[in-house]
Amino acid sequence: MVTAAISRGSSAESPTRVRVLVVGGGYVGMYTALHLQRQLKAELRSGAVEIVVVTPDPYMTYQPFLPEAAAGNISPRHVVVPLRRVLGRCKIVIGEVKAVDHAKRTATVATLATEEEAAGPIEVDYDELVLAPGSVSRTLPVPGLAEHGIGFKTVEEAIGLRNHVIEQMDIASSTRDPAIRDAALTFVFVGGGFAGVEALGELEDMARYTARYYHNIKPADLKWVLVEASDRILPEVGEEMGRYTVRELRARNIDVRLETRLESCVDRVAVLSDGTRFPTRTVVWTAGVKPAPLLAATGLPLNGRGRLKCTARLTVEGVEHAWAAGDAAAVPDVTASEPGRECAPNAQHAVRQAKVLADNLVASLHGKPPQEYAHKYAGSVASLGLHKGVAHIYGRKLKGYTAWFMHRTYHLSRIPTFNRKARVMAEWTLAGLFKREIVSLGSLEHPRAEFELAAGPPPPPPDNDVTADSSPDAHDTGSTRDTRDSKDKGGTGDVKNTGPATD
């Protein structure tokens, strides 16, 4: 049972209830709540503890599988984990925490119903705070980026990018303008980290396969450009594997530009710092992430990069009853030989930190001492497309099919729930037996467009100027007037079937 520490609870429903507020439903948020509900089953049943998870989305996205979802190897539904199913003993609130007053133990939350109710954000009281809001894309003031750039951090962006790439191939296939064709078939990726390299590798692989179904597009017509500001890509896999990756990408006719920056993409022209100009309709921005803006509204101590200063026990430095991990937290790496080293903000640390955080929070409630988080970085794996990859694990360097297979095996073991593991495995098996899907479903981004067109007012009549090849009947005003009169008198108004198509 939970000891007297429970008496700190301030819930209006029960004066002795401890409310744990988890901010964020990503790796740290979901796994922390999952471990808490497993370890506090009795307390949750008795009402001594309540776990509230506030998250903008009702699912956790397993980001390492986003490139494969973009390439069509995995269904988008299977790279996300529904929080309500996994966290059955927690209260899930779909909303966004706008501010935290830790002195008063309250969080200001804007929910989906906030605008509907016109009552403003709600105040949520808590006793223990777990901050795991994650990160957002780190952008730079590049002219034209906000108007034309595409991110690659969410499942919506991954699917949107897939649809966009195939749509550009459709445009290039049907246009008679060489400039439009070249711009449509030029794809610029900014950022040589995991997200940029894996997204580029998978999408190039998918587009090259798709090109075989176009009568006038060859794989060589597609132009892929990777722009990286530093002198290497994939630093996580080591310098040697980074150089191998550059050679592998260039062998696939991918233009890799190191020590180069994107200066502008105004008017759909990518201008690089080396003076090169690429007319393009696709600029994918994957140049890093930064801590969520919420952290600046908490009043809690931050480091120079805007992350929460934390101890090795995953508590916020100098603050009681506040915990943090993952991208939002600057956690000391106790296994590093250099003093002052921090854990890298990646999924490998986030998942393990979540378990230690939950253990320490439960230990705190039971009056027991917490433990330090210690995990020596195991290494990294990256996919470069189907059957291609690089890896640097426990000092061993792997490449090609072996690294690709290890990439899939590792991430299959890490994606939450047996349900998701089985579905992903089934899709990989089917993908090996059948051909790739090459369909673009871009209309999903505007699902009401067709209905709005059908339900809206009829379009205005065209200009009555008769062109050289127009039929004399094309401007039969009598037929048109009869049609409109029929509509005004309560007729069907079916212009298609009652006269020449002038409206």
Side-chain angles (χ1 to χ4, degrees), residues 448-460 487 492-493 495 503:
R448 295 188 66 250
E450 183 176 351
F451 181 77
E452 288 175 350
L453 182 63
K487 187 173 182 179
T492 61
V495 179
D503 284 354

Side-chain angles (χ1 to χ4, degrees), residues 407-420:
H407 173 271
R408 282 199 164 184
T409 303
Y410 173 78
H411 288 298
L412 182 67
S413 69
R414 293 300 173 183
I415 191 169
T417 77
F418 177 78
N419 179 297
R420 286 293 177 274

Side-chain angles (χ1 to χ4, degrees), residues 1-9 18-20 36 40 43 48-51 127-128 321 323 358-369:
M1 286 296 295
V2 178
T3 64
I6 292 292
S7 63
R8 290 194 305 268
V18 164
R19 173 176 288 167
V20 179
L36 286 175
L40 298 173
E43 291 82 359
V49 172
E50 178 185 43
I51 304 172
D127 299 280
E128 299 286 343
H321 313 302
W323 313 75
D359 291 343
N360 286 349
L361 202 159
V362 172
S364 175
L365 294 177
H366 288 85
K368 297 179 181 179

Side-chain angles (χ1 to χ4, degrees), residues 182-229:
D182 289 344
L185 294 181
T186 300
F187 307 95
V188 178
F189 285 68
V190 183
F194 275 115
V197 173
E198 289 192 326
L200 172 59
E202 292 285 357
L203 284 166
E204 188 274 338
D205 205 35
M206 180 271 294
R208 182 159 29 85
Y209 175 89
T210 304
R212 69 178 66 180
Y213 296 99
Y214 288 81
H215 68 282
N216 57 351
I217 296 180
K218 300 180 178 63
D221 297 334
L222 302 170
K223 182 183 297 182
W224 300 84
V225 183
L226 177 63
V227 180
E228 169 55 39

